Amino acid sequence: MNEKNLRNEIAKNPLMILLLGACPAMGATATLLGSVGMGAAVLLVMLLSGIVMAALKNIVPACARIPACVLVIAGFASIMQMLMNAFLPEIYQLLGVYVAVVAVDLLVFSAVDGKGSVGAAVSAAVKTGLVFLVILCVMGVVREVLGSASIAGQEIAFLKDYRIPVLTMAPGGLMVYGIVAAVVSKLAPAGAMCTDLACCKKSEEVEQ
Amino acid sequence: MEKSMFAIVLSGILLNNYALQNYLGISALLGTAKDAKKSAVLGGAVTVVMVLSAAVCWPVDHFVLSAFGLEYLRTLVFVAIILAAAYLVSAVVKTVVKKPLGIWFPLVALNSAVLGAALNNAAEGLNFLQAVVSALAAGLGFLLAIVVFSGVCDRIEEQHVPRAFRGLPVRLMAAAIIGLALYAF
């Protein structure tokens, strides 16, 4: 994948255009560990439910697709929650209610449409999920280093007196997210990203 | 620990505002139109779904899930209940207002604030009345946030915003500042 493709892929990520999945994204990024855990959880849930929904494509009637999709995603999210609770209790504690909220994550929902083939579902899930993971890690590093003067739980001594506590709280998360979105929109190739929300809405309506 | 109703209502609407302090439902908040009226309809729908689902989730959780030690199924069952409530509300909206929810349906059915409210109610062990009141307060908090936010977005002059910040980033900044303002309480 060359550089332009990569930029395009990042700019097209639903997290960046439509704010889908913003809730777990910001809830998790107060620390780097939380971001990695959340990114991996979303990637896995998206991949597994994408495969299941693509496999069930011919069985589920069109009118039942949305509820079926929601329930499959919620099922995998519950499994993920239990696995995390069992094997990664520290990260589970860190993420709290946001792990459960992956069940109603619109980012996952938008990637899992259950219309294409299994292969298409896998590639869509991996692409969206990896970009999501990387963006989350960037936000996590910024918020943890500047907000609580530590990285992945290790304290950074010289930054201790200069930390900005607001970054670990809700408004700080929104600010960092805004700055990351601005950087992405600056780097995006022209036309790849619609900065106007109305035009995104329109393109979504056409799809429906 | 018995929480007073007043404390539940106040914390739901202001101190613990789901969208602005806990990010729950923030996608719905940031994705809405600048039009305050439309935003209010969305906020109202979310509030109704929240109260409805809280009223159903509490007995299901209390008499089935907790009674049989199935707390780990909470997420799945609550999502199903919320989905059903959202379908009900969208059908009512369609017949009464004659305008389908359409593109907003996912924003209501898959709203993390609704699920978060149901899960928090269950985790805190509130009684039925408290659960419903706290869901109502959380919904009103969401409604407040969405109406205030659409008003703020309406006033952002896009021409004066640096190109990279136009659209989404400047809205996020605005939401951050509204969130900071709520810390004053």
Side-chain angles (χ1 to χ4, degrees):
Chain A
M1 195 184 278
N2 62 32
E3 195 203 324
K4 195 177 171 210
N5 269 346
L6 188 65
R7 284 189 187 180
N8 224 340
E9 216 40 73
I10 294 175
K12 271 195 320 201
N13 193 283
L15 179 67
M16 284 297 129
I17 314 177
L18 281 169
L19 291 152
L20 302 182
C23 157
M26 278 184 285
T29 49
T31 58
L32 180 59
L33 273 182
S35 326
V36 175
M38 176 56 73
V42 167
L43 175 61
L44 280 174
V45 170
M46 209 182 313
L47 186 62
L48 294 173
S49 38
I51 292 173
V52 168
M53 282 311 293
L56 292 177
K57 181 177 58 171
N58 295 327
I59 304 173
V60 180
C63 60
R65 197 185 289 130
I66 292 180
C69 230
V70 172
L71 290 182
V72 167
I73 294 171
F76 279 116
S78 301
I79 294 173
M80 196 56 61
Q81 196 182 350
M82 286 177 233
L83 287 176
M84 229 182 215
N85 195 4
F87 296 108
L88 300 165
E90 303 107 52
I91 295 187
Y92 183 76
Q93 289 297 322
L94 221 59
L95 295 181
V97 72
Y98 299 108
V99 188
V101 161
V102 172
V104 288
D105 191 347
L106 282 165
L107 180 82
V108 179
F109 185 71
S110 71
V112 180
D113 56 357
K115 283 176 197 158
S117 66
V118 175
V122 170
S123 85
V126 169
K127 257 189 219 159
T128 319
L130 281 181
V131 173
F132 181 74
L133 178 62
V134 170
I135 294 171
L136 246 62
C137 288
V138 170
M139 284 165 66
V141 168
V142 172
R143 286 182 68 188
E144 194 178 352
V145 169
L146 297 181
S148 43
S150 64
I151 186 150
Q154 306 292 317
E155 232 173 62
I156 304 173
F158 71 93
L159 272 176
K160 225 175 163 222
D161 298 334
Y162 305 103
R163 64 198 167 86
I164 313 164
V166 76
L167 286 184
T168 59
M169 297 188 281
L174 288 162
M175 277 178 206
V176 173
Y177 185 10
I179 292 167
V180 169
V183 170
V184 168
S185 118
K186 181 83 192 165
L187 294 179
M193 190 178 181
C194 32
T195 43
D196 183 16
L197 253 110
C199 98
C200 298
K201 282 269 160 71
K202 236 173 249 159
S203 66
E204 207 181 52
E205 269 163 22
V206 169
E207 269 176 31
Q208 280 187 345
Chain B
M1 194 177 70
E2 197 70 10
K3 262 187 171 177
S4 77
M5 281 300 168
F6 182 69
I8 290 176
V9 171
L10 197 65
S11 96
I13 297 180
L14 293 175
L15 301 176
N16 232 337
N17 192 298
Y18 270 29
L20 294 171
Q21 308 289 0
N22 295 325
Y23 311 115
L24 294 169
I26 197 95
S27 343
L29 181 74
L30 294 166
T32 44
K34 289 181 178 177
D35 187 350
K37 248 186 204 160
K38 283 185 193 165
S39 311
V41 172
L42 178 65
V46 167
T47 309
V48 173
V49 172
M50 234 175 202
V51 174
L52 258 182
S53 56
V56 180
C57 285
W58 191 88
V60 169
D61 181 54
H62 198 73
F63 295 116
V64 182
L65 297 181
S66 299
F68 295 102
L70 296 172
E71 282 94 347
Y72 57 87
L73 284 180
R74 265 181 194 158
T75 309
L76 186 57
V77 173
F78 287 1
V79 167
I81 293 173
I82 291 167
L83 190 63
Y87 268 112
L88 189 70
V89 168
S90 89
V92 170
V93 168
K94 210 185 253 173
T95 48
V96 175
V97 192
K98 298 275 190 279
K99 255 199 218 151
L101 277 178
I103 180 175
W104 284 349
F105 179 75
L107 290 184
V108 177
L110 293 173
N111 192 308
S112 45
V114 181
L115 180 65
L119 286 171
N120 279 348
N121 283 345
E124 281 173 26
L126 303 176
N127 66 29
F128 180 71
L129 193 64
Q130 283 173 329
V132 172
V133 169
S134 91
L136 180 66
L140 289 180
F142 183 77
L143 184 61
L144 175 80
I146 208 167
V147 170
V148 168
F149 186 66
S150 73
V152 169
C153 281
D154 198 29
R155 296 204 160 205
I156 298 173
E157 292 277 352
E158 287 271 325
Q159 301 94 302
H160 298 303
V161 177
R163 187 171 294 277
F165 272 90
R166 280 182 202 167
L168 170 58
V170 75
R171 288 174 154 237
L172 283 163
M173 290 298 172
I177 293 166
I178 301 173
L180 273 180
L182 276 184
Y183 271 110
F185 286 102

